[in-house]
Amino acid sequence: MEQIEIKQVTLNHIEELQKIGSQTFHETFSAGNTEENMTNYLNEGFSIEKLTAELNDKNAEFYFATLDNNVIGYLKLNFGQSQTELQDDKALEIERIYVLKEFHGKKVGQVLYEKAINIAKQKNVDYVWLGVWEENPRAISFYKKNGFVEFDKHIFKLGDDQQTDIMMKLKLK
């Protein structure tokens, strides 16, 4: 497999971000959710307005994983007050690591994850944290393999469905 490249996402890439975000979210979660809830979430969560606001947030960063200039996955990081839950200045949140289904098992997620950890170390944070759906054993296993431990749970609303996310963290110091 050729070299996977990581590129920071800017407003110029918003349509690509919308496409990869919607596609990977749908591939990952459509089997376990109603079509109506999925459609509503995709329309709101990946709207141009919402993505524009997120890309303009100085405490959030997006990165694409590309192969032959094709976007095959992406990463979203949050710092400080932009974190979805803890908002700890000594922490970094991995809000999203998503990879196209056809590239699962090809280390794309690991490359994106390593980018996140490198950024966390550059920012000198004490720990990295994230939330992962309790019914996503593939992701839970991935994070455990990388040293994350469970520390709490929180509710993630997908349409009218309240789902439990397992909160996990990795101490860096």
Side-chain angles (χ1 to χ4, degrees):
M1 192 162 167
E2 293 88 44
Q3 192 65 33
I4 297 164
E5 292 184 26
I6 304 295
K7 300 176 183 171
Q8 188 158 5
V9 180
T10 68
L11 278 171
N12 297 336
H13 308 111
I14 195 160
E15 287 170 2
E16 287 173 283
L17 180 60
Q18 185 181 44
K19 181 175 183 269
I20 190 78
S22 295
Q23 184 176 348
T24 54
F25 193 89
H26 190 271
E27 286 178 353
T28 305
F29 300 115
S30 62
N33 291 285
T34 67
E35 195 172 322
E36 183 183 4
N37 281 344
M38 283 298 295
T39 300
N40 291 340
Y41 184 84
L42 292 173
N43 289 341
E44 290 169 27
F46 296 100
S47 70
I48 292 293
E49 297 76 27
K50 185 166 194 305
L51 293 175
T52 299
E54 291 176 338
L55 284 165
N56 283 326
D57 181 347
K58 66 180 178 20
N59 286 316
E61 294 177 1
F62 287 88
Y63 294 88
F64 283 150
T66 63
L67 186 64
D68 298 329
N69 290 319
N70 294 312
V71 177
I72 59 171
Y74 79 107
L75 163 70
K76 182 180 184 214
L77 304 175
N78 296 317
F79 317 97
Q81 295 304 301
S82 293
Q83 295 174 82
T84 57
E85 197 98 3
L86 301 179
Q87 293 154 348
D88 182 342
D89 287 333
K90 293 307 252 162
L92 174 147
E93 175 191 16
I94 297 175
E95 185 178 348
R96 300 184 194 138
I97 293 181
Y98 286 106
V99 176
L100 291 173
K101 210 170 212 159
E102 66 188 278
F103 292 97
H104 283 186
K106 296 184 170 27
K107 306 282 184 231
V108 181
Q110 191 67 36
V111 171
L112 287 165
Y113 167 79
E114 286 164 8
K115 176 70 175 175
I117 297 301
N118 287 337
I119 291 169
K121 289 177 178 172
Q122 287 168 10
K123 297 207 179 264
N124 203 26
V125 299
D126 293 344
Y127 63 97
V128 177
W129 72 276
L130 52 89
V132 59
W133 190 26
E134 66 182 354
E135 293 182 37
N136 189 349
R138 180 185 177 85
I140 294 167
S141 171
F142 173 82
Y143 291 117
K144 283 184 175 176
K145 182 186 82 181
N146 280 292
F148 278 74
V149 294
E150 296 176 24
F151 72 95
D152 204 350
K153 292 184 177 193
H154 71 157
I155 299 299
F156 176 83
K157 277 191 68 104
L158 188 82
D160 60 8
D161 190 17
Q162 292 200 6
Q163 302 176 350
T164 302
D165 275 2
I166 297 169
M167 294 172 69
M168 303 177 82
K169 75 164 66 169
L170 174 71
K171 288 189 175 162
L172 298 178
K173 296 182 176 178

